[in-house]
Amino acid sequence: AFVTIEQLGDVVRLLKRGKAAGLSGMTYEHVVAAVTGSDEGMAVLLELVNLMLAGTLPHIPELTDCRLVAVRKPTSGVRPIAIGEVLMRIASLCALASCPGAGFDLAPVQLGVGVSGGSEAMGHALRAAIAAEPDAVIVQVDFENAFNTPFRSELISATRARTPSLARAPRGDGRLTIT
């Protein structure tokens, strides 16, 4: 198993109320109601989450499709916001819970996931760098569709090299595997 029943229980207890639903209309409140006080419900959710994280679940578009909301950009154009299915979001939260130190292992390259106050730390580091080099020039670049630009294989290789704790140990000790 990738995620333990304890880790899943912690994730379920911390789910925030009032979050948007995906295409199915299912919300965190629905999942909490289904598993609270039900050992069978938790066991089924745990099995589903572990199948999702193992990559052994068959492709189910209803789980992977997202609701897209168009938000107008301040200057011009539209920014699509994707709202994923609740079960996929829970699986993602469980993956993070199963690798608590991974965010710190990836710092300072990555400060957005698993690093408490990461974005604030990035802002403070930038201010400190500007203070140390007052003549420095800061350039902000916003690549169009930058999310889908990098090769996934390169991202996975770099993550494996920097954070071996994310790769499954040869004896299969239950840690999340990056493939």
Side-chain angles (χ1 to χ4, degrees):
F2 292 94
V3 175
T4 66
I5 194 76
E6 293 80 17
Q7 290 167 328
L8 176 61
D10 290 343
V11 166
V12 168
R13 277 188 290 283
L14 294 174
L15 292 175
K16 295 197 175 6
R17 298 174 62 113
K19 294 290 184 175
L23 287 174
S24 70
M26 186 185 304
T27 64
Y28 287 151
E29 289 88 346
H30 292 121
V31 174
V32 170
V35 301
T36 300
S38 170
D39 292 342
E40 288 179 24
M42 281 295 281
V44 168
L45 182 59
L46 179 65
E47 184 175 353
L48 176 62
V49 164
N50 281 320
L51 287 171
M52 293 165 88
L53 294 178
T56 56
L57 196 65
H59 176 69
I60 302 171
E62 291 80 7
L63 283 177
T64 57
D65 290 350
C66 295
R67 176 186 305 270
L68 287 177
V69 178
V71 177
R72 190 173 304 281
K73 291 182 179 180
T75 52
S76 67
V78 175
R79 179 180 318 279
I81 304 297
I83 303 169
E85 272 304 314
V86 164
L87 293 172
M88 289 295 284
R89 295 185 341 226
I90 290 172
S92 297
L93 292 169
C94 287
L96 286 172
S98 72
C99 301
F104 290 103
D105 291 344
L106 292 169
V109 174
Q110 182 286 133
L111 294 173
V113 177
V115 179
S116 183
S119 58
E120 291 85 0
M122 191 172 15
H124 292 304
L126 181 61
R127 277 192 280 288
I130 292 170
E133 287 288 334
D135 295 332
V137 175
I138 305 296
V139 178
Q140 177 184 349
V141 181
D142 184 12
F143 295 102
E144 187 171 331
N145 198 16
F147 178 79
N148 290 318
T149 301
F151 289 109
R152 301 257 190 284
S153 59
E154 291 176 14
L155 293 173
I156 290 167
S157 294
T159 302
R160 271 194 186 124
R162 195 159 177 92
T163 316
S165 66
L166 289 178
R168 183 186 294 192
R171 65 185 181 282
D173 68 354
R175 287 182 283 181
L176 181 65
T177 301
I178 295 180
T179 56

